[in-house]
Amino acid sequence: MLIRAMDINDLERIVELEHILFTSTWDVSDFMYEILENQFSYNFVLEVDEQIVGYVGVWIMYEQSQITTVGIDPDYQGARLWETINGRDACLSSFSRL
């Protein structure tokens, strides 16, 4: 399992998950803006066996943060994957560039 920064090459799978999970979805342009233009946005994917099974977007603005999007493949829901790999610590270490 791996948590890593989301990049534009991930968007096909992310948008696929969006359509599986939600009735009101983000599209490619929404994610592109968050990845390439929004200076407050930090986006991550969760991989299992090199397959994206989850994602999260967070805005960090000075002393506050807000989760903007999150999704887990239905086949992995309830598996507590974020906790299994200490997801909190992995994500926080990725914020070290702040």
Side-chain angles (χ1 to χ4, degrees), residues 31-96:
F31 284 103
M32 292 282 287
Y33 174 79
E34 294 300 315
I35 293 169
L36 300 175
E37 297 182 40
N38 186 346
Q39 67 180 350
F40 300 110
S41 183
Y42 298 85
N43 300 276
F44 301 92
V45 296
L46 173 63
E47 290 184 346
V48 174
D49 297 326
E50 298 183 17
Q51 162 101 14
I52 295 172
V53 299
Y55 59 94
V56 64
V58 181
W59 288 347
I60 299 180
M61 299 160 291
Y62 309 105
E63 296 175 353
Q64 62 179 334
S65 64
Q66 177 178 328
I67 295 174
T68 58
T69 187
V70 63
I72 295 286
D73 185 312
D75 292 338
Y76 290 86
Q77 290 177 3
R80 302 177 67 122
L81 292 175
W82 295 106
E83 295 170 20
T84 302
I85 59 170
N86 296 314
R88 181 180 147 276
D89 294 334
C91 284
L92 289 175
S93 68
S94 297
F95 294 142
S96 64

Side-chain angles (χ1 to χ4, degrees), residues 11-24:
L11 296 184
E12 182 178 344
R13 175 63 175 151
I14 299 299
V15 171
E16 176 187 10
L17 285 172
E18 278 278 304
H19 287 279
I20 292 168
L21 297 168
F22 305 109
T23 56
S24 177

